[in-house]
Amino acid sequence: MNSFIGKWVDQQNVLITITGSKTSISVAYGNGRGPFQGTLNASNPSVITVNFTDDGGNKTGTLSNNNSDINWDNGTTWKQLVYLRKNAWDDNNGGQFIDKSGNYTDLYWYAKAVKVMQSRPISDPTSWWFYAAIHGELLLPGSLYPKPYQYLNWKNVNYIGAAANLSVVPSNALTTIFWDQCQHGTWFFPPWHRGYLVALENILRTIISQLNGPSDWALPYWNYLNQSTVYIESHIPPAFTLTVLPDNTPNPLYVPERYGPNVQVGNGENSANDQCQWDTIYSEGAAPAKLGAGDLNGYFYGGGETGFSHSGSETGDLEQNPHNFVHGMVGGQNAAGQIGLMGVPATAGLDPIFFLHHSNIDRMWDAWNVTGQNNNPSDVNWLAGPTANGNSQFAMPLDAQGTAWYYTPADVQTTNNLKYNGSYYSYTYSDLSLTSYDTIQPGFLKENLSLRLNKLSAINLETGIKMASKQNNELVGASSGSITLKDKETKATVQLDKTAWKSVKNSLLKASVSNIPDEVYLQLEGVKGGADSNFLSVYVNNTFIKSVSLFGLLGASLKNTAHGGAGLTFKFNITSIVDELHLESAIDINSLDVQIKSKDAPLDGDEITVERIGIYRSGQ
Amino acid sequence: MKLSQNKRIAINLVFISIFVWTLLLVNPGHIMAMKYCHVFASCPSATSFQMLLEMKLFSAQLIGWGLMVVAMMLPKLILPIQFIYQQSFKRYRFLCSLLFVFGYILVWMVVGVFMIEIIMGVNLLLPMSYMPAFGLFVIALVWEISPIKQRFLNLGHDHRILSAFGWKAFRDSLFFGLTHGVWCIGSGWALMLFPMLLPKGHNLAMLVVTFIMISEHLEYPRFPKWLFIPRMKLLRIIVVQTKIKLMTF
């Protein structure tokens, strides 16, 4: 890899672009100077010699250890350009196209570039439609949804203009490499989406440069959780609701099939928040496993380890809330009960707000690493990506010919010196606060193991207890038969198995530093239906546990898709409730009452079914 | 290092499979009364079908068939058995898995009766001929690229949620095994029959077929249509994991 290739800024803040191969480079200045030719030192690839023909000939540059600077022998230094992704509300004059000085904002240039991409046919890998299909599509014969969801099939989506020319799909070779890649319910969710944004951002920036926009443009982010006193940032930025641009031409950021423009923020039922940011573990088995409050969904921050078999249900805390929640809320439902584009994975990428939402999710992951000082997995099966288990590579098209950038999670695990298409690429965010809403760790999340042991009257507490990297999971109770949610509220009784429950009971009774008590999880297993934008809230013995978004439910319920029709499984950590019931000696082994509430009443003929409710212990 | 439950299941099943493969291929100390594939390939043409049956070859064939199913198919059952272990009470796990395997093999044995009759019949009519194997190879090839095959492969991923308590848990496990067996036969009947019709080289063919069948069951479900795609996921996994191990050490 030639580490010099990329964008640099000199001491006069002039943008410099270095292109080239493994052995030679070309240097071009943004002010028109150059290009100048140079070569890499054969024995030391961190040194280049460039012939500045207008400035005395050859000069030698040396790359700094962290690839952030080139130090020249005449004493000058070039710094690697670090793109800055800015807040769509705060840094764009309240989500507008024009700032207070009368200049165009990043959102304006986004809209202009989206328009150019949308003018290209779907057969062009740099078109908006092709890029949306990389996430998921309902266009190829094998993808189409049956009745009554045919309105989601792309040929029926009004937002897709005639320029897309959907009747001419790209070649099978291109669709096989690029389409339907989105990684959900897996520990690859954060890195795949990071690469997806970087690839799109570069295509957009090239277009913006051609339109004489800022050459350092970067994708804005919509931080719906931001508690600004100036703007209500849980609302979608105005640039996405206006029907026209400042020049009175149609606004491509406006999507008629977007039915819920506001995000409901909070810590109660069906509310988006950033409690996930208090997690301290990316995935089970990820080292170091320092104890934390997190693991809201049972798959920690980044999602469950994905091997060669993948159920698509190991959804990490970041992915579930806020990611899935915001998809469901922004997609929403219209009066006819139809789901908006953002509410379904196979149509979500069509809506331009998708990329600002994911920019925010990426920002949260970056903040979790940088500010929260939490580590990504060091497991080679994560670093190498899905190919480690025989699955497809992450691939993004770079140009109209479909030249692919293949990447792994290792390539994109930081936003600094990310490996993009043979060069380093760096960006950062205007705000890397760990949290925006749950700025103080919610009380119920504060309960770390020491506090829990105290509560359970364990003695001889020590500090620095580490969680076992691998836990034993065991079924300890279940409902009998499947449950159908026809109304907004459904009650079910879960029976605990006397023999299996003994392990949990004993672990609670004998809780100590060397006998860490079990964690207990409730699982809604085999959830099927078609209500992607709906939400379920689970209560145990009348205590609210957590809400989950049903984003992706329809696709997961269809047979002959990658999910195999298995539906989704949702996991809820109910340890604290079990602790309380145990201390009050109130556990009724024959009936643990579970109440499931859906945000919207399921439509007739579109009931949600839960094949089984399972209770699991997780412990040593 | 303590192995995870999933790894223990995988190792145990692979170990049993290798053991049965050894029995079939090496037949150490001639512990098996006859070579499992003796009649499959080399019946003297003068011997009548009735005589073969009287010679009790049929039951020996069926035992051989059963062992072959165990050897070839057990690694394919790793994922469903892991699934049963995950969602069953600890004390039910082994019995539920056993019932699943029993149901699965039962279906293959029933089909085996017909398969053996076909094999014996073909060998009587065309002894030591490659023609039947060639004919089946063409059929297998068409079956491989057909949407029906893909439909069966997809159904093989249909892992039902099982009842947790009492006899219903056992019933569901048995039924899971039976249905899984039917989907497996639906996708792999031609591949399974092919090595048995070869006059020579059936051991090698069986190994190759096992590899293909495990590979194609590891692939994610996809939309059923006429499509030629090499389903070589197992090979990809082995190659990449070897690379990773070499890089690590």
Side-chain angles (χ1 to χ4, degrees), chain A residues 142 310 381 388 390-391 472-473 475 497 559-562 612 616, chain B residues 2 86-87 89 91 93 154 158 162 220-221 223 233 236 241:
Chain A
H310 172 42
N381 287 308
N391 297 314
N472 285 319
N473 299 307
L475 182 74
D497 180 64
K559 288 197 186 295
N560 298 321
T561 62
R612 192 177 83 169
Y616 292 80
Chain B
K2 193 182 167 193
Q86 278 157 20
Q87 57 161 301
F89 293 127
R91 64 182 190 284
R93 284 172 174 171
N154 292 353
D158 194 1
L162 308 173
Y220 290 156
F223 183 70
K233 192 165 180 179
R236 296 201 299 272
Q241 288 294 333

PDB file of all heavy atoms in Angstrom, chain A residues 142 310 381 388 390-391 472-473 475 497 559-562 612 616, chain B residues 2 86-87 89 91 93 154 158 162 220-221 223 233 236 241:
ATOM      1  N   GLY A 142     -36.297 -12.387  -7.193  1.00  0.00           N
ATOM      2  CA  GLY A 142     -36.211 -13.145  -5.940  1.00  0.00           C
ATOM      3  C   GLY A 142     -36.438 -12.319  -4.697  1.00  0.00           C
ATOM      4  O   GLY A 142     -36.571 -12.865  -3.605  1.00  0.00           O
ATOM      5  N   HIS A 310     -25.924 -17.995  10.453  1.00  0.00           N
ATOM      6  CA  HIS A 310     -26.314 -16.678  10.945  1.00  0.00           C
ATOM      7  C   HIS A 310     -27.826 -16.558  10.948  1.00  0.00           C
ATOM      8  O   HIS A 310     -28.460 -16.620   9.904  1.00  0.00           O
ATOM      9  CB  HIS A 310     -25.698 -15.607  10.040  1.00  0.00           C
ATOM     10  CG  HIS A 310     -26.181 -14.235  10.347  1.00  0.00           C
ATOM     11  ND1 HIS A 310     -26.332 -13.772  11.638  1.00  0.00           N
ATOM     12  CD2 HIS A 310     -26.581 -13.224   9.545  1.00  0.00           C
ATOM     13  CE1 HIS A 310     -26.775 -12.535  11.588  1.00  0.00           C
ATOM     14  NE2 HIS A 310     -26.949 -12.185  10.352  1.00  0.00           N
ATOM     15  N   ASN A 381     -11.831 -13.461  13.494  1.00  0.00           N
ATOM     16  CA  ASN A 381     -13.045 -13.705  12.710  1.00  0.00           C
ATOM     17  C   ASN A 381     -13.881 -12.436  12.547  1.00  0.00           C
ATOM     18  O   ASN A 381     -14.691 -12.335  11.636  1.00  0.00           O
ATOM     19  CB  ASN A 381     -13.900 -14.798  13.358  1.00  0.00           C
ATOM     20  CG  ASN A 381     -13.277 -16.158  13.161  1.00  0.00           C
ATOM     21  OD1 ASN A 381     -12.951 -16.550  12.047  1.00  0.00           O
ATOM     22  ND2 ASN A 381     -13.074 -16.862  14.253  1.00  0.00           N
ATOM     23  N   ALA A 388     -14.193 -14.928   6.594  1.00  0.00           N
ATOM     24  CA  ALA A 388     -13.558 -15.894   7.490  1.00  0.00           C
ATOM     25  C   ALA A 388     -14.443 -17.122   7.665  1.00  0.00           C
ATOM     26  O   ALA A 388     -13.966 -18.206   8.002  1.00  0.00           O
ATOM     27  CB  ALA A 388     -13.295 -15.254   8.854  1.00  0.00           C
ATOM     28  N   GLY A 390     -16.584 -18.140   5.145  1.00  0.00           N
ATOM     29  CA  GLY A 390     -17.040 -18.569   3.821  1.00  0.00           C
ATOM     30  C   GLY A 390     -18.100 -17.681   3.193  1.00  0.00           C
ATOM     31  O   GLY A 390     -18.671 -18.047   2.164  1.00  0.00           O
ATOM     32  N   ASN A 391     -18.382 -16.539   3.796  1.00  0.00           N
ATOM     33  CA  ASN A 391     -19.406 -15.659   3.233  1.00  0.00           C
ATOM     34  C   ASN A 391     -18.775 -14.544   2.388  1.00  0.00           C
ATOM     35  O   ASN A 391     -17.555 -14.441   2.308  1.00  0.00           O
ATOM     36  CB  ASN A 391     -20.262 -15.079   4.358  1.00  0.00           C
ATOM     37  CG  ASN A 391     -20.996 -16.178   5.102  1.00  0.00           C
ATOM     38  OD1 ASN A 391     -21.580 -17.070   4.490  1.00  0.00           O
ATOM     39  ND2 ASN A 391     -20.942 -16.151   6.423  1.00  0.00           N
ATOM     40  N   ASN A 472     -22.048 -19.834  29.971  1.00  0.00           N
ATOM     41  CA  ASN A 472     -22.922 -20.952  29.648  1.00  0.00           C
ATOM     42  C   ASN A 472     -24.348 -20.447  29.621  1.00  0.00           C
ATOM     43  O   ASN A 472     -24.792 -19.796  30.557  1.00  0.00           O
ATOM     44  CB  ASN A 472     -22.800 -22.048  30.713  1.00  0.00           C
ATOM     45  CG  ASN A 472     -21.514 -22.809  30.545  1.00  0.00           C
ATOM     46  OD1 ASN A 472     -21.119 -23.101  29.430  1.00  0.00           O
ATOM     47  ND2 ASN A 472     -20.863 -23.112  31.656  1.00  0.00           N
ATOM     48  N   ASN A 473     -25.031 -20.754  28.571  1.00  0.00           N
ATOM     49  CA  ASN A 473     -26.432 -20.352  28.465  1.00  0.00           C
ATOM     50  C   ASN A 473     -27.304 -21.589  28.530  1.00  0.00           C
ATOM     51  O   ASN A 473     -27.003 -22.601  27.910  1.00  0.00           O
ATOM     52  CB  ASN A 473     -26.677 -19.607  27.153  1.00  0.00           C
ATOM     53  CG  ASN A 473     -25.846 -18.341  27.066  1.00  0.00           C
ATOM     54  OD1 ASN A 473     -25.884 -17.521  27.972  1.00  0.00           O
ATOM     55  ND2 ASN A 473     -25.082 -18.204  26.005  1.00  0.00           N
ATOM     56  N   LEU A 475     -31.563 -22.956  28.921  1.00  0.00           N
ATOM     57  CA  LEU A 475     -32.998 -22.696  29.041  1.00  0.00           C
ATOM     58  C   LEU A 475     -33.465 -23.078  30.440  1.00  0.00           C
ATOM     59  O   LEU A 475     -33.154 -24.167  30.927  1.00  0.00           O
ATOM     60  CB  LEU A 475     -33.758 -23.526  27.999  1.00  0.00           C
ATOM     61  CG  LEU A 475     -35.269 -23.339  27.944  1.00  0.00           C
ATOM     62  CD1 LEU A 475     -35.626 -21.994  27.298  1.00  0.00           C
ATOM     63  CD2 LEU A 475     -35.946 -24.471  27.163  1.00  0.00           C
ATOM     64  N   ASP A 497     -38.840 -24.179  34.785  1.00  0.00           N
ATOM     65  CA  ASP A 497     -38.589 -25.596  35.005  1.00  0.00           C
ATOM     66  C   ASP A 497     -37.906 -25.768  36.371  1.00  0.00           C
ATOM     67  O   ASP A 497     -36.846 -25.177  36.618  1.00  0.00           O
ATOM     68  CB  ASP A 497     -37.685 -26.138  33.891  1.00  0.00           C
ATOM     69  CG  ASP A 497     -37.403 -27.597  34.063  1.00  0.00           C
ATOM     70  OD1 ASP A 497     -38.354 -28.400  33.987  1.00  0.00           O
ATOM     71  OD2 ASP A 497     -36.226 -27.950  34.297  1.00  0.00           O
ATOM     72  N   LYS A 559     -40.043 -16.979   3.694  1.00  0.00           N
ATOM     73  CA  LYS A 559     -39.204 -18.129   3.336  1.00  0.00           C
ATOM     74  C   LYS A 559     -38.450 -17.795   2.042  1.00  0.00           C
ATOM     75  O   LYS A 559     -38.769 -16.828   1.358  1.00  0.00           O
ATOM     76  CB  LYS A 559     -40.088 -19.358   3.118  1.00  0.00           C
ATOM     77  CG  LYS A 559     -40.659 -19.894   4.424  1.00  0.00           C
ATOM     78  CD  LYS A 559     -41.166 -21.296   4.266  1.00  0.00           C
ATOM     79  CE  LYS A 559     -41.867 -21.784   5.520  1.00  0.00           C
ATOM     80  NZ  LYS A 559     -40.980 -21.901   6.685  1.00  0.00           N
ATOM     81  N   ASN A 560     -37.459 -18.585   1.739  1.00  0.00           N
ATOM     82  CA  ASN A 560     -36.649 -18.405   0.528  1.00  0.00           C
ATOM     83  C   ASN A 560     -35.865 -17.092   0.508  1.00  0.00           C
ATOM     84  O   ASN A 560     -35.535 -16.560  -0.542  1.00  0.00           O
ATOM     85  CB  ASN A 560     -37.525 -18.503  -0.741  1.00  0.00           C
ATOM     86  CG  ASN A 560     -38.154 -19.865  -0.859  1.00  0.00           C
ATOM     87  OD1 ASN A 560     -37.520 -20.886  -0.551  1.00  0.00           O
ATOM     88  ND2 ASN A 560     -39.412 -19.906  -1.264  1.00  0.00           N
ATOM     89  N   THR A 561     -35.642 -16.538   1.692  1.00  0.00           N
ATOM     90  CA  THR A 561     -34.726 -15.407   1.806  1.00  0.00           C
ATOM     91  C   THR A 561     -33.570 -15.871   2.689  1.00  0.00           C
ATOM     92  O   THR A 561     -33.612 -16.981   3.239  1.00  0.00           O
ATOM     93  CB  THR A 561     -35.402 -14.201   2.476  1.00  0.00           C
ATOM     94  OG1 THR A 561     -35.792 -14.579   3.801  1.00  0.00           O
ATOM     95  CG2 THR A 561     -36.625 -13.750   1.705  1.00  0.00           C
ATOM     96  N   ALA A 562     -32.556 -15.009   2.839  1.00  0.00           N
ATOM     97  CA  ALA A 562     -31.364 -15.422   3.595  1.00  0.00           C
ATOM     98  C   ALA A 562     -31.697 -15.833   5.026  1.00  0.00           C
ATOM     99  O   ALA A 562     -31.009 -16.644   5.635  1.00  0.00           O
ATOM    100  CB  ALA A 562     -30.338 -14.307   3.593  1.00  0.00           C
ATOM    101  N   ARG A 612     -42.357 -18.769  20.726  1.00  0.00           N
ATOM    102  CA  ARG A 612     -42.138 -19.206  22.108  1.00  0.00           C
ATOM    103  C   ARG A 612     -41.497 -18.079  22.894  1.00  0.00           C
ATOM    104  O   ARG A 612     -40.736 -17.285  22.343  1.00  0.00           O
ATOM    105  CB  ARG A 612     -41.203 -20.429  22.114  1.00  0.00           C
ATOM    106  CG  ARG A 612     -41.116 -21.140  23.443  1.00  0.00           C
ATOM    107  CD  ARG A 612     -40.218 -22.375  23.349  1.00  0.00           C
ATOM    108  NE  ARG A 612     -38.802 -22.038  23.492  1.00  0.00           N
ATOM    109  CZ  ARG A 612     -37.819 -22.933  23.665  1.00  0.00           C
ATOM    110  NH1 ARG A 612     -38.112 -24.228  23.690  1.00  0.00           N
ATOM    111  NH2 ARG A 612     -36.569 -22.558  23.782  1.00  0.00           N
ATOM    112  N   TYR A 616     -33.773 -17.820  29.891  1.00  0.00           N
ATOM    113  CA  TYR A 616     -32.441 -18.432  29.883  1.00  0.00           C
ATOM    114  C   TYR A 616     -31.587 -17.892  31.017  1.00  0.00           C
ATOM    115  O   TYR A 616     -31.697 -16.723  31.385  1.00  0.00           O
ATOM    116  CB  TYR A 616     -31.718 -18.128  28.555  1.00  0.00           C
ATOM    117  CG  TYR A 616     -32.338 -18.808  27.365  1.00  0.00           C
ATOM    118  CD1 TYR A 616     -33.476 -18.292  26.762  1.00  0.00           C
ATOM    119  CD2 TYR A 616     -31.796 -19.983  26.846  1.00  0.00           C
ATOM    120  CE1 TYR A 616     -34.060 -18.918  25.661  1.00  0.00           C
ATOM    121  CE2 TYR A 616     -32.369 -20.616  25.749  1.00  0.00           C
ATOM    122  CZ  TYR A 616     -33.504 -20.075  25.158  1.00  0.00           C
ATOM    123  OH  TYR A 616     -34.072 -20.707  24.077  1.00  0.00           O
TER     124      TYR A 616
ATOM    125  N   LYS B   2     -11.460 -24.154  28.029  1.00  0.00           N
ATOM    126  CA  LYS B   2     -12.758 -24.809  27.970  1.00  0.00           C
ATOM    127  C   LYS B   2     -13.415 -24.500  26.627  1.00  0.00           C
ATOM    128  O   LYS B   2     -13.523 -23.344  26.228  1.00  0.00           O
ATOM    129  CB  LYS B   2     -13.629 -24.293  29.110  1.00  0.00           C
ATOM    130  CG  LYS B   2     -14.860 -25.119  29.344  1.00  0.00           C
ATOM    131  CD  LYS B   2     -15.691 -24.509  30.456  1.00  0.00           C
ATOM    132  CE  LYS B   2     -17.061 -25.129  30.476  1.00  0.00           C
ATOM    133  NZ  LYS B   2     -17.971 -24.365  31.328  1.00  0.00           N
ATOM    134  N   GLN B  86     -29.370 -25.464  22.281  1.00  0.00           N
ATOM    135  CA  GLN B  86     -29.585 -24.084  22.753  1.00  0.00           C
ATOM    136  C   GLN B  86     -30.969 -23.894  23.330  1.00  0.00           C
ATOM    137  O   GLN B  86     -31.152 -23.142  24.273  1.00  0.00           O
ATOM    138  CB  GLN B  86     -29.391 -23.100  21.594  1.00  0.00           C
ATOM    139  CG  GLN B  86     -27.945 -22.760  21.316  1.00  0.00           C
ATOM    140  CD  GLN B  86     -27.746 -22.266  19.894  1.00  0.00           C
ATOM    141  OE1 GLN B  86     -28.694 -21.827  19.240  1.00  0.00           O
ATOM    142  NE2 GLN B  86     -26.522 -22.360  19.398  1.00  0.00           N
ATOM    143  N   GLN B  87     -31.957 -24.563  22.758  1.00  0.00           N
ATOM    144  CA  GLN B  87     -33.321 -24.232  23.179  1.00  0.00           C
ATOM    145  C   GLN B  87     -34.017 -25.353  23.945  1.00  0.00           C
ATOM    146  O   GLN B  87     -35.238 -25.367  24.037  1.00  0.00           O
ATOM    147  CB  GLN B  87     -34.153 -23.768  21.995  1.00  0.00           C
ATOM    148  CG  GLN B  87     -34.238 -24.749  20.858  1.00  0.00           C
ATOM    149  CD  GLN B  87     -35.430 -24.400  19.987  1.00  0.00           C
ATOM    150  OE1 GLN B  87     -36.564 -24.375  20.431  1.00  0.00           O
ATOM    151  NE2 GLN B  87     -35.173 -24.128  18.737  1.00  0.00           N
ATOM    152  N   PHE B  89     -34.101 -27.776  27.691  1.00  0.00           N
ATOM    153  CA  PHE B  89     -33.604 -27.897  29.060  1.00  0.00           C
ATOM    154  C   PHE B  89     -32.400 -28.835  29.055  1.00  0.00           C
ATOM    155  O   PHE B  89     -32.362 -29.807  28.291  1.00  0.00           O
ATOM    156  CB  PHE B  89     -34.691 -28.455  29.982  1.00  0.00           C
ATOM    157  CG  PHE B  89     -35.854 -27.524  30.162  1.00  0.00           C
ATOM    158  CD1 PHE B  89     -37.158 -27.940  29.937  1.00  0.00           C
ATOM    159  CD2 PHE B  89     -35.643 -26.205  30.571  1.00  0.00           C
ATOM    160  CE1 PHE B  89     -38.228 -27.076  30.105  1.00  0.00           C
ATOM    161  CE2 PHE B  89     -36.707 -25.337  30.742  1.00  0.00           C
ATOM    162  CZ  PHE B  89     -38.008 -25.765  30.502  1.00  0.00           C
ATOM    163  N   ARG B  91     -31.364 -31.248  30.824  1.00  0.00           N
ATOM    164  CA  ARG B  91     -31.529 -32.706  30.980  1.00  0.00           C
ATOM    165  C   ARG B  91     -32.228 -33.338  29.774  1.00  0.00           C
ATOM    166  O   ARG B  91     -32.250 -34.545  29.628  1.00  0.00           O
ATOM    167  CB  ARG B  91     -32.281 -33.020  32.266  1.00  0.00           C
ATOM    168  CG  ARG B  91     -33.698 -32.518  32.317  1.00  0.00           C
ATOM    169  CD  ARG B  91     -34.333 -32.849  33.675  1.00  0.00           C
ATOM    170  NE  ARG B  91     -35.758 -32.581  33.682  1.00  0.00           N
ATOM    171  CZ  ARG B  91     -36.294 -31.369  33.766  1.00  0.00           C
ATOM    172  NH1 ARG B  91     -35.515 -30.303  33.846  1.00  0.00           N
ATOM    173  NH2 ARG B  91     -37.608 -31.212  33.785  1.00  0.00           N
ATOM    174  N   ARG B  93     -31.476 -32.283  26.592  1.00  0.00           N
ATOM    175  CA  ARG B  93     -30.707 -31.976  25.387  1.00  0.00           C
ATOM    176  C   ARG B  93     -30.273 -33.234  24.623  1.00  0.00           C
ATOM    177  O   ARG B  93     -30.473 -33.347  23.417  1.00  0.00           O
ATOM    178  CB  ARG B  93     -29.456 -31.164  25.755  1.00  0.00           C
ATOM    179  CG  ARG B  93     -29.740 -29.724  26.074  1.00  0.00           C
ATOM    180  CD  ARG B  93     -28.500 -29.055  26.611  1.00  0.00           C
ATOM    181  NE  ARG B  93     -28.691 -27.624  26.812  1.00  0.00           N
ATOM    182  CZ  ARG B  93     -27.823 -26.851  27.424  1.00  0.00           C
ATOM    183  NH1 ARG B  93     -26.693 -27.370  27.908  1.00  0.00           N
ATOM    184  NH2 ARG B  93     -28.055 -25.574  27.568  1.00  0.00           N
ATOM    185  N   ASN B 154     -33.360 -24.633   1.108  1.00  0.00           N
ATOM    186  CA  ASN B 154     -33.919 -23.577   1.956  1.00  0.00           C
ATOM    187  C   ASN B 154     -34.683 -24.183   3.133  1.00  0.00           C
ATOM    188  O   ASN B 154     -34.572 -23.709   4.269  1.00  0.00           O
ATOM    189  CB  ASN B 154     -34.864 -22.676   1.153  1.00  0.00           C
ATOM    190  CG  ASN B 154     -34.123 -21.844   0.116  1.00  0.00           C
ATOM    191  OD1 ASN B 154     -32.900 -21.843   0.069  1.00  0.00           O
ATOM    192  ND2 ASN B 154     -34.866 -21.137  -0.716  1.00  0.00           N
ATOM    193  N   ASP B 158     -34.932 -24.470   7.924  1.00  0.00           N
ATOM    194  CA  ASP B 158     -36.142 -24.217   8.706  1.00  0.00           C
ATOM    195  C   ASP B 158     -36.014 -24.921  10.058  1.00  0.00           C
ATOM    196  O   ASP B 158     -36.432 -26.060  10.232  1.00  0.00           O
ATOM    197  CB  ASP B 158     -37.352 -24.763   7.924  1.00  0.00           C
ATOM    198  CG  ASP B 158     -38.658 -24.252   8.501  1.00  0.00           C
ATOM    199  OD1 ASP B 158     -38.605 -23.472   9.474  1.00  0.00           O
ATOM    200  OD2 ASP B 158     -39.718 -24.638   7.986  1.00  0.00           O
ATOM    201  N   LEU B 162     -38.853 -25.510  19.277  1.00  0.00           N
ATOM    202  CA  LEU B 162     -39.390 -26.733  19.874  1.00  0.00           C
ATOM    203  C   LEU B 162     -40.147 -26.421  21.162  1.00  0.00           C
ATOM    204  O   LEU B 162     -39.846 -25.441  21.854  1.00  0.00           O
ATOM    205  CB  LEU B 162     -38.246 -27.693  20.215  1.00  0.00           C
ATOM    206  CG  LEU B 162     -37.262 -28.009  19.089  1.00  0.00           C
ATOM    207  CD1 LEU B 162     -36.100 -28.831  19.629  1.00  0.00           C
ATOM    208  CD2 LEU B 162     -37.957 -28.753  17.963  1.00  0.00           C
ATOM    209  N   TYR B 220     -26.310 -19.892   2.698  1.00  0.00           N
ATOM    210  CA  TYR B 220     -27.557 -19.263   3.136  1.00  0.00           C
ATOM    211  C   TYR B 220     -28.681 -19.611   2.159  1.00  0.00           C
ATOM    212  O   TYR B 220     -28.423 -19.842   0.974  1.00  0.00           O
ATOM    213  CB  TYR B 220     -27.412 -17.737   3.163  1.00  0.00           C
ATOM    214  CG  TYR B 220     -26.504 -17.213   4.258  1.00  0.00           C
ATOM    215  CD1 TYR B 220     -25.881 -15.980   4.124  1.00  0.00           C
ATOM    216  CD2 TYR B 220     -26.277 -17.940   5.418  1.00  0.00           C
ATOM    217  CE1 TYR B 220     -25.050 -15.485   5.121  1.00  0.00           C
ATOM    218  CE2 TYR B 220     -25.453 -17.442   6.417  1.00  0.00           C
ATOM    219  CZ  TYR B 220     -24.838 -16.226   6.259  1.00  0.00           C
ATOM    220  OH  TYR B 220     -24.022 -15.739   7.238  1.00  0.00           O
ATOM    221  N   PRO B 221     -29.912 -19.624   2.630  1.00  0.00           N
ATOM    222  CA  PRO B 221     -31.044 -19.833   1.705  1.00  0.00           C
ATOM    223  C   PRO B 221     -31.056 -18.734   0.649  1.00  0.00           C
ATOM    224  O   PRO B 221     -30.590 -17.622   0.907  1.00  0.00           O
ATOM    225  CB  PRO B 221     -32.277 -19.705   2.611  1.00  0.00           C
ATOM    226  CG  PRO B 221     -31.791 -19.912   3.996  1.00  0.00           C
ATOM    227  CD  PRO B 221     -30.370 -19.439   4.022  1.00  0.00           C
ATOM    228  N   PHE B 223     -33.291 -17.361  -3.201  1.00  0.00           N
ATOM    229  CA  PHE B 223     -34.516 -17.499  -3.992  1.00  0.00           C
ATOM    230  C   PHE B 223     -34.380 -18.666  -4.971  1.00  0.00           C
ATOM    231  O   PHE B 223     -33.373 -18.748  -5.689  1.00  0.00           O
ATOM    232  CB  PHE B 223     -34.779 -16.191  -4.749  1.00  0.00           C
ATOM    233  CG  PHE B 223     -36.055 -16.196  -5.528  1.00  0.00           C
ATOM    234  CD1 PHE B 223     -37.273 -16.170  -4.869  1.00  0.00           C
ATOM    235  CD2 PHE B 223     -36.042 -16.237  -6.913  1.00  0.00           C
ATOM    236  CE1 PHE B 223     -38.458 -16.175  -5.587  1.00  0.00           C
ATOM    237  CE2 PHE B 223     -37.218 -16.243  -7.636  1.00  0.00           C
ATOM    238  CZ  PHE B 223     -38.428 -16.218  -6.967  1.00  0.00           C
ATOM    239  N   LYS B 233     -19.002 -23.648  -0.031  1.00  0.00           N
ATOM    240  CA  LYS B 233     -18.737 -22.839   1.148  1.00  0.00           C
ATOM    241  C   LYS B 233     -17.720 -23.503   2.088  1.00  0.00           C
ATOM    242  O   LYS B 233     -16.876 -22.827   2.672  1.00  0.00           O
ATOM    243  CB  LYS B 233     -20.036 -22.569   1.893  1.00  0.00           C
ATOM    244  CG  LYS B 233     -19.907 -21.511   2.952  1.00  0.00           C
ATOM    245  CD  LYS B 233     -21.259 -21.028   3.396  1.00  0.00           C
ATOM    246  CE  LYS B 233     -21.152 -19.972   4.459  1.00  0.00           C
ATOM    247  NZ  LYS B 233     -22.451 -19.477   4.882  1.00  0.00           N
ATOM    248  N   ARG B 236     -14.326 -22.796   0.953  1.00  0.00           N
ATOM    249  CA  ARG B 236     -13.955 -21.398   1.235  1.00  0.00           C
ATOM    250  C   ARG B 236     -13.571 -21.226   2.713  1.00  0.00           C
ATOM    251  O   ARG B 236     -12.584 -20.568   3.038  1.00  0.00           O
ATOM    252  CB  ARG B 236     -15.119 -20.457   0.888  1.00  0.00           C
ATOM    253  CG  ARG B 236     -15.491 -20.425  -0.577  1.00  0.00           C
ATOM    254  CD  ARG B 236     -16.246 -19.153  -0.935  1.00  0.00           C
ATOM    255  NE  ARG B 236     -17.492 -18.992  -0.211  1.00  0.00           N
ATOM    256  CZ  ARG B 236     -18.671 -19.482  -0.595  1.00  0.00           C
ATOM    257  NH1 ARG B 236     -18.746 -20.205  -1.718  1.00  0.00           N
ATOM    258  NH2 ARG B 236     -19.762 -19.267   0.109  1.00  0.00           N
ATOM    259  N   GLN B 241      -9.770 -20.080   6.782  1.00  0.00           N
ATOM    260  CA  GLN B 241      -9.344 -20.369   8.153  1.00  0.00           C
ATOM    261  C   GLN B 241      -7.887 -20.842   8.188  1.00  0.00           C
ATOM    262  O   GLN B 241      -7.152 -20.536   9.124  1.00  0.00           O
ATOM    263  CB  GLN B 241     -10.270 -21.418   8.802  1.00  0.00           C
ATOM    264  CG  GLN B 241     -11.650 -20.885   9.155  1.00  0.00           C
ATOM    265  CD  GLN B 241     -11.621 -19.809  10.254  1.00  0.00           C
ATOM    266  OE1 GLN B 241     -10.741 -19.769  11.090  1.00  0.00           O
ATOM    267  NE2 GLN B 241     -12.602 -18.912  10.217  1.00  0.00           N
TER     268      GLN B 241
END
